[in-house]
Amino acid sequence: MTQPAQPALEKKPVNIAKRRQYVAAYALSMPFMVVFALMIAVPLFYAGYLSFFKKQLIGGVSFVGMDNYARALTDPSFLGGVGRMALFLVIQVPVMLGLSLLFALILDSGMLRLQRFIRLGVFLPYAIPSVIATLMWGYLYGKDFGPFAQLAKSLGLPAPDFLAGGNVLFSIMNIVTWGFVGYNMIVMYAALRSIPAELYEAARVDGAREWRLAWSIKIPAIRGALLLTTIFSVIGSFQLFNEPNLLRVIAPAAIGQDYTPNMYAFQLSFVNQDSNYAAAIAFLLGIVIMAVSYGVQLTANRKEKAS
Amino acid sequence: MTATDTAQVVTRNSAASPPRRKRSGKSTLLTVVMLLCLVYFLLPIFWLVVASTKANDDLFTSFGLWFSNMNLAENLHNVFTFQNGVFGHWMLNSLIYAIASGFGASALATAAGYAFAKYRFPGGNAMFTIVLGAVMIPMTALAIPTYLLFAGANLTNTVWAVILPSLVSPFGVYLMRVYAADAVPDSLIEAARVDGAGEMRIFFQIVLRLLVPGSITVLLFTLVASWNNYFLPLIMLNSPDLFPLPVGLAQWQAASAAGSGSQALFSTVITGSLVSVLPLMAAFLFLQRYWQSGLGSGAVKA
């Protein structure tokens, strides 16, 4: 490589090395990409294809263009579900992430005793499958023998009905918050731990207190982690299925089969056998999720530029 | 490269802890406040333990948050014998699904993440961008057409219907790319090339060791995701013999809430829930070191 005298001869080994690297890169990435194509890309395109058709009782399957999408945009079941999830998102995600951030900052401040125990305790609900978490909370919410109802009764108060129509969305928010505060806390805590110590020195010299450090240095420094947890929470909110679907068993009056868009799509394809319309619903939901996630990213970037 | 060198690189990268900074004093008040918050997180788990020890009648008559007559042994007996011991099948199924998809997904993600991090090759960036975008695809958009495709291939109601879709972890690839970019020094790969090692040999004999902490993080993620998975097996499987724990327990719960003639199953469902929660809790307790440093690594370096 040091002799430029014979470029033709020099070029060859470089090309061979490069080609070897290409071959290796494809060999290492292809197993994933093949499974990815089969399990994500193919079903996605198939769903897109399905969404343009309609199965009629008479006449079989016919191409209907955007009809399914047009139908969804005026379908109270779909719009109601999306609205409910938007409400869920606007309330639950800030509460959950706010708590996670608060706990992460407290842990990072080093002012806690029993630090490890507390960290583990807050995280532990994440280890519980959402189906089982919902079963548990379903019993805890119970009007007849749930501990909250028992406590209220022993105090002579009316038992709170966590599963009544107006309350059930908040009860679901509580289950999700309970399960995921610890997980988000750990992500933020790990980010806080990797802030270089030098960043604090100047502030400390200036006499900044812990809360001032948190607000002016720590929170801006972990913007990446905050953005990641926010986007995952947005995606998770709109895809809500397990919790309402299981609570439906004990609160059928409060939770309809179209309570969330995901439940609606499930009902359409497995109860009503209308996979074409279900595919359109799923696609629209995907578009809503991407739009909101993109909006979150844009807002975050704008703030970054402004600061 | 000697073993010690490798170990040093691994610890340096996996611990990711900056030099300790000065700490303010401990606060008892803050500790007490946090312990009170902890009640919220631990009380439901405590309730689950208490309720598992009660017979059906006691569930309704005794105070929910304290012990009554000890009936745990009988409950456990019921859990494992009800419907000819199908619960044992469910546990085994969950274990098989979790291990197959966990190890499969993290192996695929490790290789692909490393390739995206360390090789510049035609289509590499485009593929990675597409993979990243896939994180946002809602599961129904995929699950329903996947079900129809699998039905066409006669794969529904088989173990493959649950395992194959779980092998893809776009977030795992993202995490491994971020991790590999940091954990594998370019100079090391160059040195190995100069020594005449082939690309595959470099990956399997040198790089893989450096990637282990990241791979374990992805493994944990995928194990949990698969252990908790409800939607996919729910739509893919009909035979109770193939159910994983969440689907089976949800079905028992539905049967007992509906009170459809069969005996009241409440204590069986609750005790079954406790049994199915224990393995994951044990895994988290034993693997604390990994998840605490690992769960955040994607976010830290993003």
Side-chain angles (χ1 to χ4, degrees), chain B residues 1 185-199 202 206:
Chain B
M1 186 164 202
D186 289 331
S187 56
L188 183 71
I189 302 177
E190 281 308 320
R193 276 180 194 146
V194 170
D195 287 350
E199 297 296 327
I202 294 175
I206 302 169

mmCIF file of all heavy atoms in Angstrom, chain B residues 1 185-199 202 206:
data_model
loop_
_atom_site.group_PDB
_atom_site.id
_atom_site.type_symbol
_atom_site.label_atom_id
_atom_site.label_comp_id
_atom_site.label_asym_id
_atom_site.label_seq_id
_atom_site.Cartn_x
_atom_site.Cartn_y
_atom_site.Cartn_z
ATOM 1 N N MET B 1 -5.318 -11.883 21.001
ATOM 2 C CA MET B 1 -5.867 -11.158 22.163
ATOM 3 C C MET B 1 -6.018 -12.109 23.348
ATOM 4 O O MET B 1 -6.603 -13.175 23.234
ATOM 5 C CB MET B 1 -7.215 -10.592 21.784
ATOM 6 C CG MET B 1 -7.764 -9.720 22.860
ATOM 7 S SD MET B 1 -9.096 -8.736 22.196
ATOM 8 C CE MET B 1 -9.094 -7.420 23.363
ATOM 9 N N PRO B 185 -13.663 -2.038 19.207
ATOM 10 C CA PRO B 185 -12.790 -1.025 18.624
ATOM 11 C C PRO B 185 -12.433 -1.390 17.186
ATOM 12 O O PRO B 185 -12.126 -2.546 16.890
ATOM 13 C CB PRO B 185 -11.536 -1.076 19.512
ATOM 14 C CG PRO B 185 -11.835 -2.007 20.626
ATOM 15 C CD PRO B 185 -13.023 -2.820 20.261
ATOM 16 N N ASP B 186 -12.466 -0.396 16.293
ATOM 17 C CA ASP B 186 -12.103 -0.645 14.898
ATOM 18 C C ASP B 186 -10.676 -1.164 14.790
ATOM 19 O O ASP B 186 -10.360 -1.997 13.945
ATOM 20 C CB ASP B 186 -12.232 0.647 14.086
ATOM 21 C CG ASP B 186 -13.687 1.049 13.897
ATOM 22 O OD1 ASP B 186 -14.528 0.140 13.888
ATOM 23 O OD2 ASP B 186 -13.960 2.258 13.792
ATOM 24 N N SER B 187 -9.801 -0.658 15.674
ATOM 25 C CA SER B 187 -8.404 -1.057 15.615
ATOM 26 C C SER B 187 -8.247 -2.561 15.832
ATOM 27 O O SER B 187 -7.381 -3.209 15.265
ATOM 28 C CB SER B 187 -7.608 -0.289 16.670
ATOM 29 O OG SER B 187 -8.183 -0.496 17.940
ATOM 30 N N LEU B 188 -9.138 -3.102 16.665
ATOM 31 C CA LEU B 188 -9.078 -4.540 16.942
ATOM 32 C C LEU B 188 -9.405 -5.334 15.682
ATOM 33 O O LEU B 188 -8.721 -6.314 15.343
ATOM 34 C CB LEU B 188 -10.087 -4.864 18.049
ATOM 35 C CG LEU B 188 -10.135 -6.306 18.526
ATOM 36 C CD1 LEU B 188 -8.894 -6.628 19.318
ATOM 37 C CD2 LEU B 188 -11.372 -6.523 19.380
ATOM 38 N N ILE B 189 -10.441 -4.893 14.958
ATOM 39 C CA ILE B 189 -10.826 -5.590 13.723
ATOM 40 C C ILE B 189 -9.696 -5.459 12.707
ATOM 41 O O ILE B 189 -9.302 -6.435 12.056
ATOM 42 C CB ILE B 189 -12.131 -4.981 13.161
ATOM 43 C CG1 ILE B 189 -13.243 -5.069 14.202
ATOM 44 C CG2 ILE B 189 -12.545 -5.689 11.887
ATOM 45 C CD1 ILE B 189 -14.547 -4.424 13.766
ATOM 46 N N GLU B 190 -9.119 -4.258 12.586
ATOM 47 C CA GLU B 190 -8.011 -4.032 11.663
ATOM 48 C C GLU B 190 -6.843 -4.948 11.981
ATOM 49 O O GLU B 190 -6.265 -5.584 11.106
ATOM 50 C CB GLU B 190 -7.561 -2.564 11.729
ATOM 51 C CG GLU B 190 -8.451 -1.606 10.949
ATOM 52 C CD GLU B 190 -8.657 -2.054 9.511
ATOM 53 O OE1 GLU B 190 -7.692 -2.537 8.888
ATOM 54 O OE2 GLU B 190 -9.798 -1.955 9.026
ATOM 55 N N ALA B 191 -6.492 -5.013 13.257
ATOM 56 C CA ALA B 191 -5.357 -5.834 13.681
ATOM 57 C C ALA B 191 -5.585 -7.291 13.306
ATOM 58 O O ALA B 191 -4.682 -7.971 12.799
ATOM 59 C CB ALA B 191 -5.138 -5.696 15.183
ATOM 60 N N ALA B 192 -6.814 -7.749 13.528
ATOM 61 C CA ALA B 192 -7.130 -9.138 13.204
ATOM 62 C C ALA B 192 -7.019 -9.375 11.702
ATOM 63 O O ALA B 192 -6.544 -10.418 11.255
ATOM 64 C CB ALA B 192 -8.525 -9.483 13.701
ATOM 65 N N ARG B 193 -7.433 -8.369 10.902
ATOM 66 C CA ARG B 193 -7.344 -8.506 9.444
ATOM 67 C C ARG B 193 -5.889 -8.583 9.011
ATOM 68 O O ARG B 193 -5.521 -9.388 8.155
ATOM 69 C CB ARG B 193 -8.017 -7.309 8.774
ATOM 70 C CG ARG B 193 -9.503 -7.496 8.658
ATOM 71 C CD ARG B 193 -10.152 -6.301 7.981
ATOM 72 N NE ARG B 193 -11.593 -6.367 8.172
ATOM 73 C CZ ARG B 193 -12.380 -5.313 8.318
ATOM 74 N NH1 ARG B 193 -11.868 -4.099 8.278
ATOM 75 N NH2 ARG B 193 -13.665 -5.486 8.501
ATOM 76 N N VAL B 194 -5.048 -7.711 9.603
ATOM 77 C CA VAL B 194 -3.628 -7.714 9.272
ATOM 78 C C VAL B 194 -3.018 -9.076 9.590
ATOM 79 O O VAL B 194 -2.210 -9.607 8.848
ATOM 80 C CB VAL B 194 -2.895 -6.591 10.039
ATOM 81 C CG1 VAL B 194 -1.389 -6.726 9.888
ATOM 82 C CG2 VAL B 194 -3.375 -5.233 9.544
ATOM 83 N N ASP B 195 -3.488 -9.679 10.684
ATOM 84 C CA ASP B 195 -2.992 -11.003 11.053
ATOM 85 C C ASP B 195 -3.533 -12.089 10.145
ATOM 86 O O ASP B 195 -3.212 -13.262 10.315
ATOM 87 C CB ASP B 195 -3.380 -11.336 12.502
ATOM 88 C CG ASP B 195 -2.548 -10.521 13.483
ATOM 89 O OD1 ASP B 195 -1.576 -9.884 13.030
ATOM 90 O OD2 ASP B 195 -2.877 -10.530 14.683
ATOM 91 N N GLY B 196 -4.401 -11.710 9.208
ATOM 92 C CA GLY B 196 -4.875 -12.674 8.224
ATOM 93 C C GLY B 196 -6.136 -13.409 8.614
ATOM 94 O O GLY B 196 -6.489 -14.410 7.986
ATOM 95 N N ALA B 197 -6.837 -12.945 9.646
ATOM 96 C CA ALA B 197 -8.083 -13.617 10.024
ATOM 97 C C ALA B 197 -9.188 -13.255 9.045
ATOM 98 O O ALA B 197 -9.286 -12.106 8.618
ATOM 99 C CB ALA B 197 -8.485 -13.220 11.438
ATOM 100 N N GLY B 198 -10.019 -14.210 8.673
ATOM 101 C CA GLY B 198 -11.162 -13.929 7.802
ATOM 102 C C GLY B 198 -12.236 -13.200 8.582
ATOM 103 O O GLY B 198 -12.243 -13.199 9.821
ATOM 104 N N GLU B 199 -13.163 -12.560 7.839
ATOM 105 C CA GLU B 199 -14.199 -11.752 8.496
ATOM 106 C C GLU B 199 -15.062 -12.577 9.461
ATOM 107 O O GLU B 199 -15.402 -12.142 10.554
ATOM 108 C CB GLU B 199 -15.086 -11.098 7.439
ATOM 109 C CG GLU B 199 -14.366 -10.112 6.520
ATOM 110 C CD GLU B 199 -13.818 -8.910 7.251
ATOM 111 O OE1 GLU B 199 -14.438 -8.472 8.235
ATOM 112 O OE2 GLU B 199 -12.740 -8.419 6.858
ATOM 113 N N ILE B 202 -13.167 -13.408 12.546
ATOM 114 C CA ILE B 202 -13.101 -12.230 13.423
ATOM 115 C C ILE B 202 -14.394 -12.123 14.237
ATOM 116 O O ILE B 202 -14.365 -11.926 15.449
ATOM 117 C CB ILE B 202 -12.889 -10.938 12.593
ATOM 118 C CG1 ILE B 202 -11.519 -10.971 11.918
ATOM 119 C CG2 ILE B 202 -13.032 -9.705 13.470
ATOM 120 C CD1 ILE B 202 -11.261 -9.796 10.988
ATOM 121 N N ILE B 206 -13.522 -13.358 17.933
ATOM 122 C CA ILE B 206 -13.051 -12.173 18.669
ATOM 123 C C ILE B 206 -14.213 -11.276 19.082
ATOM 124 O O ILE B 206 -14.426 -10.997 20.253
ATOM 125 C CB ILE B 206 -12.051 -11.369 17.808
ATOM 126 C CG1 ILE B 206 -10.877 -12.273 17.418
ATOM 127 C CG2 ILE B 206 -11.561 -10.150 18.584
ATOM 128 C CD1 ILE B 206 -9.982 -11.681 16.360
#
